[in-house]
Amino acid sequence: MKFILAAAALAASSLAMAHNCPNEMKAIDAKLSSNPTLSAADMGKVKALRADGEKFHKAGKHDDSMKALGDAKKLLGI
């Protein structure tokens, strides 16, 4: 019984992560549209991380997606 509950919890958390990737991308896009003051190098990193996050999300690699998007958000200060 405990195994079934653990498996169900894991499946639910994976789905929650999968659904959160688009929200993270929206937050990054909103901040980028406000023309944040970043160096050209940091802006390049943010855009690359944002693109990586979307690529990982589409490939079903949600942990990798959330890491890339989290790193982009840190650079943006959000």
Side-chain angles (χ1 to χ4, degrees):
M1 183 67 171
K2 286 183 182 180
F3 176 75
I4 293 171
L5 290 175
L10 180 62
S13 68
S14 294
L15 288 174
M17 282 282 221
H19 292 299
N20 202 39
C21 299
N23 292 332
E24 298 295 304
M25 289 184 269
K26 286 179 188 174
I28 292 166
D29 293 343
K31 185 70 173 187
L32 287 173
S33 71
S34 73
N35 295 317
T37 358
L38 292 175
S39 68
D42 282 346
M43 184 61 81
K45 287 179 193 174
V46 166
K47 289 180 178 182
L49 288 164
R50 164 57 176 87
D52 287 346
E54 186 169 2
K55 177 183 71 174
F56 290 137
H57 173 72
K58 288 180 178 179
K61 298 178 180 182
H62 300 292
D63 289 338
D64 293 336
S65 175
M66 291 299 290
K67 171 148 181 21
L69 296 171
D71 290 346
K73 285 177 70 176
K74 283 180 192 170
L75 286 169
L76 286 169
I78 54 174

